[in-house]
Amino acid sequence: MSQILPRISGPDDLKGLSREALHQLSDEVRQRVLEVVANRGGHLGAPLGVVELAVALHYVYDSPTDKIIWDVGHQCYPHSESPHDIFGAGHASTSISAALGMATARDLSGDDFKVVTVTGDGAMTAGLAYEGLNNAGASESDMLVILNDNKMSIAPNLGAMHNYLTGILTNPLYNRIRGEIWDLTGKIPKVADEVRGFAHRMEESIKGLVTPGILFEELGFRYFGPIDGHDLDELIDTLERIKDLPGPRLLHILTVKGKGYSFAEANQWKYHGVGAINLESGKVEGPASPPKWTKVLSNALVEVGRRNEKVVAITAAMPDGAGVQGFLEEFPERGFDVGIAEQHAVTFAAGLAREGFIPVCAIYSTFLQRGYDQIVHDVCIQDLPVVFVLDRGGLVGEDGPTHMGAYDVAYLSVLPNMIVAAPMDEHELQDLLYTAVKQREHPFAFRYPRDSIATGVDLTRSEFTFLPIGKWETIRAGDDVCILAVGTMVKAAIAAAEELATEGVEAEVINCRYLKPMDKDLLAQLGQRFSRFVTVEESALWSGFGSNVGAHLAAYGLFPEIRSLGLPDRVIEHASRKLQLEQCGLTPESIRDTVLAMERAPAGS
């Protein structure tokens, strides 16, 4: 049997295929996903679970004229790429709001196209999804929300909404009776008004009797399902059946994360995302990856939890990725996974802090952005000692622009009462966590990179050092130029200083572990000693550490020459972390060249 996938250049090529051919195509797409991810690494479980859905959607709808908006990018590998990718899917729970915007624009413009969202893989645990549902249900706009219910986000779904959806599955009576009503009225060519009314009243009565809740219906959506999301024929039939119905509709489909690959089905959490693997064994190809900074954080968090029973840990659907899983396992009563709900996580932490606990919120830098108002209003204005631990601070390599932790230094440093820090190495990360928990006076945030740990790091280290708030450390003495380095850039600055020494330039290197408050006394002393400064940070230059250094020196009446290195004011595209550092000029060589250019420039230039 000849392959179909190589002959598919776009969704239009699906329209003429038989159902049998569509089944074969689904099998080929699933195999293609497996082969590509096994070879290159990537997300595996979620895309395997939506193969039939992707095929059915492109068979029934006319993309890109019809708009298909996918929520959470890791589930949409089988979907056609641009121009069919019409909205970013890097962060969860945006699809319904975006779809309503497109449907409203269509209606205002008098256009005629369909709007469909695929919302799932945990996206329904976030508040934005319900804000979108609330407005869409009241709008009467023609749009279809597909709830891809696989009972998972990255880790297993938790909370009342998960329980609600599970309850629907245990009440098939409602769906069977409702389907029979649908079939009956659909077979009558012209149903009298009184028959229609009777059918509607019967349907409403059934809903009240046999469903665990009527949330979607009460929000204004016509609810269909649940149906098997891997039954391609049922998917196509259902989509065609409800395609032209007016108003907002919600189709609830049941899928299995990792469908068709036994290892991924058996361990859905582990196979959410993988490196290169052997498809036959399911094991990682080649040598095991070295531990990440996240592992250092994880071990230190467990250790501080052992010492202080007031320490609690909070994560937003990323227990393993954010370094909280070990704490959840050792202290299940003090560990909380709140789902994809960063706003709730922050205010929940504030409530715990108000009552004397020490909440550690471990959240990716890019995801914490969603809880910004809560950080301002509920934490900083009230000066509550919540600890924010930001994984993925800085460049994130292949995680791409949507996960780039470029902005946290700027958005946290402007907030009153907030302490902002960055460790220069893995041991300093442990010490900063210890310090943040021990100080118990102000909100405290520190960031660390998406990177492997250095050789020789002691993951079992349990004796930590309190790092005085706002104090910097001189790492290398020099007389010609001062390099103020933040976090991961300290080691790069030291390497640059060693190279500069061979050029006859002696650079002083300062570990500026605290970005706020700065070490004002030391900075004033340095401003009097040096006429040239280089600041180096793995964060956005605009409103970042470097600009704050200049402002502080100017307040002392000091105006040295300052060159600032950091992330430029543009979107940093996918690449290896090493390449991204090179492109952004954050290497020892770039620091060295910047200093040499300053040293060789004519006076006053």
Side-chain angles (χ1 to χ4, degrees):
M1 183 181 297
S2 62
Q3 283 200 321
I4 297 174
L5 184 58
R7 306 199 304 268
I8 302 296
S9 59
D12 287 345
D13 295 332
L14 273 66
K15 310 298 184 186
L17 296 179
S18 66
R19 290 291 180 93
E20 182 181 5
L22 290 172
H23 281 275
Q24 181 184 335
L25 177 62
S26 298
D27 293 339
E28 292 178 15
V29 170
R30 178 167 281 111
Q31 184 61 32
R32 179 63 174 162
V33 170
L34 280 168
E35 291 170 354
V36 171
V37 175
N39 181 54
R40 302 182 60 181
H43 295 102
L44 185 62
L48 291 178
V50 295
V51 169
E52 289 81 9
L53 176 61
V55 171
L57 283 172
H58 283 295
Y59 179 77
V60 173
Y61 290 92
D62 295 317
S63 177
T65 301
D66 292 333
K67 314 304 179 187
I68 303 174
I69 303 104
W70 290 78
D71 214 318
V72 291
H74 56 250
Q75 71 170 340
C76 59
Y77 288 13
H79 165 69
S80 298
E81 293 187 355
S82 298
H84 307 278
D85 293 336
I86 59 171
F87 199 82
H91 289 187
S93 313
T94 59
S95 65
I96 299 172
S97 297
L100 178 58
M102 294 177 195
T104 302
R106 172 201 63 203
D107 298 341
L108 291 173
S109 301
D111 290 334
D112 182 20
F113 56 80
K114 299 298 181 182
V115 178
V116 182
T117 83
V118 182
T119 303
D121 205 53
M124 289 295 286
T125 64
L128 179 59
Y130 298 96
E131 294 176 25
L133 284 171
N134 183 53
N135 272 264
S139 72
E140 300 184 357
S141 288
D142 176 11
M143 59 182 286
L144 172 65
V145 174
I146 298 177
L147 172 56
N148 173 28
D149 182 6
N150 62 9
K151 305 181 182 66
M152 294 285 289
S153 49
I154 292 174
N157 279 340
L158 303 168
M161 190 61 200
H162 168 68
N163 296 335
Y164 171 81
L165 295 174
T166 301
I168 291 177
L169 310 188
T170 61
N171 284 269
L173 176 60
Y174 159 61
N175 292 287
R176 187 176 74 246
I177 297 177
R178 181 173 188 175
E180 291 173 356
I181 294 173
W182 175 276
D183 288 341
L184 174 64
T185 57
K187 290 174 181 175
I188 303 175
K190 293 183 179 180
V191 183
D193 289 342
E194 57 269 22
V195 176
R196 267 201 200 96
F198 172 75
H200 178 71
R201 289 191 298 274
M202 180 185 293
E203 182 181 359
E204 292 296 312
S205 299
I206 292 169
K207 284 190 298 191
L209 286 172
V210 302
T211 61
I214 53 172
L215 173 64
F216 301 118
E217 296 269 358
E218 292 301 324
L219 284 172
F221 280 79
R222 181 77 186 271
Y223 174 86
F224 300 91
I227 66 171
D228 183 353
H230 299 297
D231 187 329
L232 183 61
D233 293 316
E234 185 176 17
L235 275 172
I236 292 174
D237 290 344
T238 303
L239 289 172
E240 288 181 333
R241 195 174 174 188
I242 66 177
K243 179 180 179 181
D244 294 319
L245 291 177
R249 291 96 67 206
L250 187 140
L251 173 61
H252 183 183
I253 71 169
L254 309 179
T255 60
V256 176
K257 196 163 184 173
K259 178 69 173 179
Y261 187 53
S262 60
F263 298 107
E265 288 191 39
N267 194 333
Q268 296 177 334
W269 189 350
K270 176 180 177 181
Y271 286 89
H272 168 79
V274 297
I277 59 173
N278 181 299
L279 278 179
E280 292 185 3
S281 67
K283 295 181 179 178
V284 175
E285 292 275 52
S289 300
K292 303 292 193 293
W293 282 62
T294 307
K295 182 62 177 176
V296 180
L297 181 280
S298 177
N299 288 12
L301 183 58
V302 170
E303 184 61 33
V304 298
R306 289 171 180 156
R307 298 183 186 187
N308 192 332
E309 64 181 13
K310 289 292 187 179
V311 173
V312 297
I314 301 167
T315 185
M318 298 289 293
D320 194 50
V324 176
Q325 184 59 30
F327 191 98
L328 296 179
E329 293 171 358
E330 182 145 347
F331 310 107
E333 74 286 356
R334 288 193 276 144
F336 305 94
D337 182 352
V338 301
I340 304 176
E342 288 81 7
Q343 291 174 286
H344 165 62
V346 173
T347 304
F348 174 52
L352 283 160
R354 174 60 70 192
E355 293 303 308
F357 282 83
I358 309 170
V360 177
C361 270
I363 299 174
Y364 285 10
S365 168
T366 185
F367 294 158
L368 188 60
Q369 294 163 183
R370 292 192 289 215
Y372 191 64
D373 182 59
Q374 287 66 40
I375 299 172
V376 177
H377 181 271
D378 301 332
V379 176
C380 288
I381 289 178
Q382 301 188 77
D383 199 13
L384 294 173
V386 176
V387 178
F388 296 100
V389 180
L390 282 62
D391 196 344
R392 267 71 168 175
L395 298 165
V396 294
E398 291 84 354
D399 273 5
T402 60
H403 285 46
M404 194 69 66
Y407 317 112
D408 51 69
V409 169
Y411 74 67
L412 292 173
S413 294
V414 300
L415 300 180
N417 298 315
M418 178 67 80
I419 298 167
V420 183
M424 75 170 184
D425 60 23
E426 298 87 340
H427 284 164
E428 196 162 86
L429 181 151
Q430 297 167 327
D431 292 338
L432 280 174
L433 177 64
Y434 174 75
T435 302
V437 167
K438 194 171 180 62
Q439 58 95 31
R440 300 192 69 171
E441 294 181 5
H442 304 290
F444 193 120
F446 66 89
R447 68 199 306 258
Y448 67 92
R450 178 186 184 264
D451 207 357
S452 300
I453 65 175
T455 303
V457 173
D458 184 3
L459 288 171
T460 63
R461 177 173 176 251
S462 59
E463 293 303 318
F464 306 138
T465 301
F466 186 89
L467 301 173
I469 307 299
K471 294 300 179 182
W472 295 349
E473 178 184 8
T474 301
I475 302 295
R476 185 186 190 281
D479 298 316
D480 298 315
V481 65
C482 183
I483 304 176
L484 302 176
V486 173
T488 55
M489 292 294 100
V490 175
K491 289 185 177 180
I494 295 170
E498 297 300 325
E499 292 188 27
L500 286 166
T502 67
E503 300 277 349
V505 178
E506 292 297 331
E508 185 146 311
V509 178
I510 309 296
N511 170 17
C512 305
R513 65 170 67 97
Y514 285 105
L515 295 89
K516 184 190 178 189
M518 291 186 177
D519 193 334
K520 295 180 181 179
D521 293 338
L522 178 56
L523 184 58
Q525 295 171 21
L526 294 170
Q528 292 169 353
R529 287 180 52 208
F530 293 97
S531 62
R532 293 184 175 94
F533 284 83
V534 174
T535 69
V536 195
E537 59 189 301
E538 194 182 330
S539 57
L541 278 173
W542 191 264
S543 300
F545 172 75
S547 62
N548 290 337
V549 165
H552 277 50
L553 287 170
Y556 298 134
L558 301 169
F559 300 95
E561 181 182 0
I562 302 176
R563 300 285 178 88
S564 293
L565 302 178
L567 302 184
D569 186 21
R570 60 177 173 82
V571 174
I572 310 298
E573 297 295 342
H574 295 77
S576 69
R577 178 173 158 78
K578 180 176 182 295
L579 181 57
Q580 288 176 336
L581 288 167
E582 292 172 358
Q583 291 173 341
C584 294
L586 296 178
T587 63
E589 295 75 21
S590 297
I591 300 170
R592 175 203 63 200
D593 292 346
T594 298
V595 172
L596 289 175
M598 297 173 73
E599 289 289 318
R600 293 166 181 168
S605 62

